[in-house]
Amino acid sequence: MADGWDLHAVVSGCTTAASTSATINVNGQTNNVEDPLPDLASLTFTNDDDTLFYNPGFGDSSDFECEGLEEIYRSFNFLKPRPNNPCTSSIPPTQQEAQSLPSPPPPQTMVQVQQLITPQLIKNSRAGSSLPLPATVRSRRRKNQQTKLVRQMSHEELLGDSWAWRKYGQKPIKGSPYPRNYYRCSTSKGCGARKQVEKSPADPDIYVVSYSGEHTHPRPTHRNSLAGTTRAKFSSRPTAAGASSEPPSAAGTVANPPCSSSSPVSASSLSPSTPLIEGESSAAPPENSLTETIEILDDEEDDEMGETECDEVVLIPNTVMSEDILKGFEELRRANSGSTRFQTRDNSLSPWNFSAAAAGDGGGC
DNA sequence: CGGATTTGACCGGCGC
DNA sequence: GCGCCGGTCAAATCCG
């Protein structure tokens, strides 16, 4: 993986909501492109596989299919089922507007959507643009790559997870001052759900959490069911992680570790809903995610692009929300006191719920 | 004693 | 082919 491309990409999008710069990561080098070209300059190139983050605020994305995207989000419980869901309906009006707008909307109302670009898209882009893509965009993918969802979470959000996670590794990541922690679901032995947690280099208060795999069991009924087994290492046993500011038992595993007392919230402790195989409808993701990015990394041999359009061209709306934006939503909510659905359990606003609501999905998001 | 965390080692993918 | 890097394993350790 590479050089924290995801972090930079996401963080960049998050912290510069109204910025016109694009972050391009290639070979570990990050280039901030001022006043990017309306077409491809908004791309965030990554050297990880052939996936790219694409800021559709500019350019035309109408060619893309997004049903697969919605499926993924739904599988991660970021979207609730909707009877009819035309491709475009997965993108809330605000996002749609953002996509069509030639210039970024005001920071407080802007919802920046990032999309992943597949090799096919790259090809298309190359054909339609004079902006050369980096030669480092590879066409091959790592063996074990699978659907992966990357989110930026605030402190509080990490407390909103009911899944039980067990830490199984920690690694310093090149280019990041903070180590990355690896967790797997501990609720069930066979559960393949995993997540990675690391602090955002740009903002230590923000945690970048990546989810992969799927839960093969129902969500624990009681989020604290295993809390008794969680340790509060941060205070008792300082570790490299702790020294490097990584929250102690990030694992937090289980639910609500009392970590909030002395530690900065376990980085991972609580995770939003991770993919669940057996219809988990109650899984509510942390609703105040700062950023959400779905990274479609097919584990199948999908080099044969063209079989299924959704596989090769996946539109992934990545809502980039800064705290300011959230505040903006809050103000918006106050203005429209009836829009309680935008309010999350901790009074923050969920871009996703907002999106769903804005899309007119009556479906209980 | 059971379960979670720590941490060094190991493995595989990828770039050069 | 080699080295780097990220991801995972597993023994040791800790804690309730």
Side-chain angles (χ1 to χ4, degrees):
Chain A
M1 199 95 62
D3 310 328
W5 57 267
D6 54 344
L7 279 182
H8 290 294
V10 174
V11 170
S12 174
C14 175
T15 57
T16 61
S19 172
T20 57
S21 65
T23 300
I24 300 177
N25 293 327
V26 176
N27 288 339
Q29 295 180 348
T30 298
N31 300 319
N32 291 323
V33 180
E34 295 297 329
D35 189 20
L37 295 176
D39 191 358
L40 292 178
S42 60
L43 290 173
T44 295
F45 298 103
T46 75
N47 59 350
D48 186 328
D49 303 311
D50 24 30
T51 59
L52 303 171
F53 287 105
Y54 173 60
N55 297 328
F58 316 101
D60 182 14
S61 61
S62 60
D63 301 333
F64 309 142
E65 298 290 336
C66 63
E67 291 181 1
L69 165 64
E70 185 172 24
E71 283 304 313
I72 297 212
Y73 267 106
R74 184 155 292 118
S75 72
F76 278 77
N77 294 312
F78 288 139
L79 287 179
K80 304 276 172 77
R82 217 173 17 223
N84 291 326
N85 97 84
C87 183
T88 54
S89 68
S90 65
I91 301 177
T94 305
Q95 292 180 1
Q96 291 178 1
E97 182 180 355
Q99 287 183 334
S100 61
L101 289 174
S103 61
Q108 289 194 340
T109 58
M110 175 177 135
V111 176
Q112 183 175 357
V113 178
Q114 289 184 335
Q115 295 172 325
L116 287 177
I117 299 181
T118 65
Q120 183 62 46
L121 177 55
I122 295 171
K123 292 177 184 176
N124 295 340
S125 297
R126 279 179 173 156
S129 170
S130 60
L131 186 64
L133 290 173
T136 53
V137 175
R138 301 192 301 269
S139 61
R140 253 185 297 177
R141 300 180 180 184
R142 282 180 182 268
K143 188 178 181 180
N144 293 327
Q145 282 172 345
Q146 47 186 254
T147 300
K148 186 177 179 182
L149 181 132
V150 181
R151 307 182 77 193
Q152 282 195 27
M153 295 183 179
S154 62
H155 234 220
E156 296 76 11
E157 189 170 20
L158 289 172
L159 296 175
D161 188 5
S162 62
W163 294 105
W165 300 97
R166 174 176 176 174
K167 186 176 183 178
Y168 66 88
Q170 174 178 316
K171 288 279 291 185
I173 301 302
K174 188 179 181 181
S176 175
Y178 309 110
R180 176 177 297 166
N181 292 313
Y182 301 89
Y183 301 91
R184 62 163 56 101
C185 181
S186 62
T187 301
S188 175
K189 267 193 174 182
C191 183
R194 297 187 180 188
K195 77 173 180 179
Q196 302 173 0
V197 178
E198 64 182 294
K199 281 193 172 185
S200 168
D203 187 349
D205 292 333
I206 295 176
Y207 299 92
V208 179
V209 185
S210 302
Y211 297 93
S212 61
E214 296 177 334
H215 288 285
T216 59
H217 54 88
R219 176 182 288 270
T221 303
H222 302 293
R223 56 187 297 176
N224 286 328
S225 60
L226 300 178
T229 61
T230 302
R231 297 192 219 171
K233 297 177 208 103
F234 190 65
S235 57
S236 64
R237 191 169 59 171
T239 63
S244 60
S245 80
E246 188 61 27
S249 105
T253 49
V254 201
N256 282 329
C259 61
S260 57
S261 57
S262 62
S263 71
V265 161
S266 72
S268 56
S269 68
L270 312 168
S271 85
S273 49
T274 41
L276 183 60
I277 288 179
E278 299 172 343
E280 283 292 314
S281 60
S282 62
E287 295 170 334
N288 58 342
S289 306
L290 297 177
T291 300
E292 297 177 8
T293 299
I294 281 186
E295 182 179 343
I296 303 303
L297 305 176
D298 286 319
D299 45 314
E300 301 294 335
E301 298 179 359
D302 50 2
D303 286 355
E304 306 299 331
M305 305 306 272
E307 295 259 354
T308 56
E309 214 168 350
C310 286
D311 284 345
E312 61 181 18
V313 180
V314 180
L315 282 189
I316 293 172
N318 178 32
T319 305
V320 180
M321 306 286 290
S322 68
E323 306 252 2
D324 288 341
I325 295 176
L326 293 176
K327 289 178 182 176
F329 278 123
E330 176 64 21
E331 293 178 359
L332 211 59
R333 183 184 66 80
R334 291 195 185 119
N336 296 321
S337 58
S339 306
T340 54
R341 70 181 309 163
F342 296 161
Q343 185 173 7
T344 62
R345 64 176 83 98
D346 58 351
N347 287 334
S348 61
L349 295 173
S350 167
W352 292 107
N353 280 357
F354 176 80
S355 300
D361 132 347
C365 270

